[in-house]
Amino acid sequence: MSDKAVITCALNGVLTDPKQHNVPVTPEQMAREAKAAFDAGASIMHIHLRQQALNKGHLPSWEVSVSKEIQQAIREACPGVIINHTSGVSGPNYSGALDCIRETRPEIAACNAGSLNYLKVKADNTWAWPPMMFDNAVEKVKDYLDVMNAVGTIPEFECFDVGIVRCVGMYTQVGMYKGPLEYNFVMGVASGMPSDPELLPILLKLKRPEAHWQVTAIGREEIWPLHQRCAELGGHLRTGLEDTFYLADGKKVTSNGQLIEAVVACARRVGREIASPAEARKIFGTNR
């Protein structure tokens, strides 16, 4: 078990609508929410970019200037914080995501490690949204890894299913990536791995033994036993308004800080302390 738990806050996500949910969009809002999470124990901020024009905050942005402004605001509010930058794009045009990583050089960036049919069915047995493919072919993954390697950004390998976990080891075998390994087991997407704590021992068998790992638990109050099991097994912890709006008792939160307080409690219940930003940098091997 890793003695210190590194806490990541996923501040806003790509699908959450600020008109429906209290997610930050502007640099000022992102900095405010990051500060609440930072004060609660988060050392890493996972950021998504939204369009900044009036009434456009529900739409994604890949403008480098937006990324720079948001990162600067967060770093000023949270001294020593580590930025984990989004990169996920469906379809063949992902140059904007590559540009954001290349130009802003975040310490960590998401690297979606395989493709997934991204599906959900409503209670009336109709699709929640038109069925879509979140496509991450090997060539696309390599493009991301090449840019991250060039600027010294550590990839966080996002694994939505068991086979994708196995793919990460293959990427290292063929030389696509040779740096510090960090897995993020994304659990709770309806067409991916469920939020089931009993899956974790299997996933830990499949990851590279030297790699760090964490769980992204997507859902409502049912995800909290998964966070607790992650803490027990030595994983690092992540939560935020991208992943959930609910605490274990079913209460809906209004800020990322409330969610971070809850995962910090998961770690401390099993005797683990929370890593500072400096300690997190040492654990993950960031070089800046």
Side-chain angles (χ1 to χ4, degrees):
M1 177 184 290
S2 174
D3 290 335
K4 294 283 180 87
V6 178
I7 308 296
T8 296
C9 182
L11 288 167
N12 60 348
V14 67
L15 297 175
T16 43
D17 188 339
K19 291 182 179 178
Q20 296 179 326
H21 303 287
N22 190 36
V23 293
V25 170
T26 68
E28 295 78 15
Q29 292 167 348
M30 293 287 280
R32 183 179 66 246
E33 280 294 303
K35 181 67 162 57
F38 187 77
D39 290 346
S43 295
I44 301 176
M45 303 298 160
H46 177 63
I47 63 169
H48 284 256
L49 312 176
R50 305 297 190 88
Q51 294 185 23
Q52 299 296 300
L54 185 64
N55 296 323
K56 297 292 185 180
H58 61 294
L59 298 173
S61 171
W62 293 106
E63 292 186 37
V64 171
S65 60
V66 172
S67 180
K68 287 181 176 178
E69 289 173 15
I70 286 173
Q71 291 190 52
Q72 181 180 348
I74 291 174
R75 292 186 192 280
E76 288 175 356
C78 308
V81 75
I82 298 167
I83 297 294
N84 177 329
H85 204 290
T86 182
S87 70
V89 178
S90 294
N93 183 10
Y94 48 94
S95 60
L98 295 178
D99 288 344
C100 283
I101 295 167
R102 185 184 294 111
E103 297 298 324
T104 71
R105 302 168 59 92
E107 292 94 336
I108 300 171
C111 182
N112 295 282
S115 299
L116 182 76
N117 284 320
Y118 210 88
L119 311 174
K120 186 176 181 179
V121 175
K122 296 187 294 186
D124 65 359
N125 295 323
T126 61
W127 294 117
W129 53 74
M132 61 169 286
M133 168 65 78
F134 185 27
D135 58 308
N136 294 287
V138 172
E139 296 79 10
K140 189 173 183 179
V141 174
K142 186 177 186 301
D143 286 342
Y144 279 113
L145 291 175
D146 287 348
V147 168
M148 293 180 199
N149 180 64
V151 299
T153 294
I154 294 174
E156 178 185 86
F157 288 100
E158 314 291 315
C159 301
F160 293 82
D161 218 337
V162 173
I164 299 176
V165 177
R166 302 177 75 186
C167 289
V168 174
M170 297 181 197
Y171 299 151
T172 64
Q173 281 183 279
V174 301
M176 283 172 57
Y177 179 68
K178 298 180 180 179
L181 272 175
E182 181 185 348
Y183 290 74
N184 181 13
F185 303 138
V186 182
M187 305 173 74
V189 173
S191 53
M193 291 187 289
S195 294
D196 185 347
E198 293 185 12
L199 269 179
L200 286 180
I202 297 170
L203 298 175
L204 296 183
K205 287 182 183 180
L206 297 176
K207 78 173 185 68
R208 296 295 287 253
E210 74 277 14
H212 298 289
W213 64 280
Q214 68 175 2
V215 168
T216 289
I218 299 171
R220 296 171 73 109
E221 56 267 28
E222 77 277 1
I223 66 176
W224 290 96
L226 177 58
H227 283 304
Q228 190 61 58
R229 188 63 176 141
C230 175
E232 293 168 358
L233 293 174
H236 300 293
L237 297 164
R238 161 180 155 156
T239 192
L241 294 175
E242 174 175 4
D243 305 332
T244 190
F245 301 108
Y246 298 93
L247 298 173
D249 62 3
K251 179 182 176 182
K252 189 172 183 178
V253 301
T254 58
S255 171
N256 282 286
Q258 296 163 280
L259 293 169
I260 297 301
E261 288 172 358
V263 291
V264 165
C266 290
R268 289 188 168 145
R269 275 194 290 270
V270 294
R272 297 177 66 190
E273 291 303 316
I274 307 306
S276 68
E279 290 168 332
R281 289 173 187 277
K282 185 175 293 187
I283 288 168
F284 287 147
T286 60
N287 57 14
R288 57 181 184 274

